């Protein structure tokens, strides 16, 4: 009887040990899997920039139709129809979720400093319908009111909440917001932008020629 009880006790202990080991193995595996599949980064940037990234991610919508038409909109806080837009509208809508109206901010600066802004479109005075929706104008505004950062080919220089501008095929200005989401290989932060496929998150930092790198916190 004592031998039987001893054997039963030994089996029970072995079973518990095995289950504990299995649990530990699963926990370790889960931990490794989380590390391997890490898809975000906590950059050492301001809370504003982190919030801007969050707001940009919140407006992702592949159904937004790329619509580069001139549209009459209200002022201030005017916007084109929600299911339409261009690259600049991604930036405008993201900042607006943080209480910053780029339509108003750009217009007021252009009204006071019109000669400093590009004249690519033959404009002779500010236009609240379109000025803030033009990439060159936003580049000028962010340079004046924010901080212009170096343009490099180093992925880690482009951190959460930064604004990047590109020139596509040497003729099309483009703009997007750097997020805290990482590419599959973990080397680049993903961008929220609209280049024709809706307001989407993409690994496109170096897909086009970078011409501008900015931070603007209002």
């Amino acid at each position: 009887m004592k031998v039987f009880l001893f054997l039963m006790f030994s089996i029970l202990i072995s079973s518990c040990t095995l289950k504990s080991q299995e649990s530990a193995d699963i926990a370790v595996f889960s931990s490794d899997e989380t590390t391997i599949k890490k898809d975000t980064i906590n950059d050492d940037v301001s809370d504003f920039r982190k919030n801007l990234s969050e707001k940009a991610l919140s407006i992702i919508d592949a159904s937004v139709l790329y619509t580069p038409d001139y549209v009459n909109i209200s002022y201030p806080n005017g916007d084109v129809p929600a299911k339409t837009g261009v690259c600049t509208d991604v930036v405008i809508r993201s900042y607006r979720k943080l209480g910053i109206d780029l339509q108003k901010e750009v217009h007021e600066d252009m009204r006071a400093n019109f000669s400093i802004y590009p004249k690519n479109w033959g404009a002779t005075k500010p236009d609240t319908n379109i000025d803030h929706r033009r990439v060159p104008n936003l580049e000028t505004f962010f340079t004046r009111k924010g901080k212009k950062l170096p343009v490099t080919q180093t992925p880690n220089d482009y951190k959460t909440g930064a604004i990047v501008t590109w020139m596509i095929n040497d003729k099309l200005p483009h703009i997007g917001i750097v997020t805290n989401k990482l590419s599959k290989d973990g080397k680049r932060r993903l961008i929220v932008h609209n280049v024709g496929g809706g307001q989407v998150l993409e690994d496109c930092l170096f897909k086009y020629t970078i011409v501008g790198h900015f931070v603007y916190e209002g």
Side-chain angles (χ1 to χ4, degrees), residues 41 43 52-54 56-57 158-162 177-182 189-192 201:
I41 186 167
D43 282 324
L52 181 62
S53 167
E54 179 184 331
L57 292 168
Y158 299 88
K159 298 188 183 298
T160 302
I177 297 176
V178 181
T179 73
N180 67 332
K181 299 293 185 180
L182 293 173
R189 290 152 186 80
L190 302 183
I191 309 292
V192 177
L201 180 69

Side-chain angles (χ1 to χ4, degrees), residues 102-165:
L102 286 175
Q103 181 194 31
K104 177 177 178 290
E105 298 300 326
V106 171
H107 174 66
E108 289 184 352
D109 194 51
M110 287 191 73
R111 188 172 58 183
N113 304 279
F114 187 72
S115 63
I116 296 174
Y117 280 80
K119 303 297 185 296
N120 306 17
W121 312 275
T124 57
K125 62 181 181 179
D127 183 345
T128 58
N129 294 305
I130 194 66
D131 286 337
H132 62 300
R133 300 184 67 221
R134 287 172 166 158
V135 174
N137 285 343
L138 287 181
E139 289 175 315
T140 301
F141 177 79
F142 290 145
T143 298
R144 287 175 46 74
K145 300 296 184 176
K147 183 177 182 181
K148 189 173 184 178
L149 302 176
V151 170
T152 74
Q153 294 301 305
T154 304
N156 204 44
D157 287 343
Y158 299 88
K159 298 188 183 298
T160 302
I163 305 296
V164 176
T165 59

Side-chain angles (χ1 to χ4, degrees), residues 80-106:
V80 296
K83 287 296 184 178
T84 69
V86 292
C87 61
T88 49
D89 293 307
V90 171
V91 178
I92 294 162
R93 288 165 174 165
S94 298
Y95 271 99
R96 193 162 282 161
K97 283 183 171 289
L98 292 174
I100 295 175
D101 180 12
L102 286 175
Q103 181 194 31
K104 177 177 178 290
E105 298 300 326
V106 171

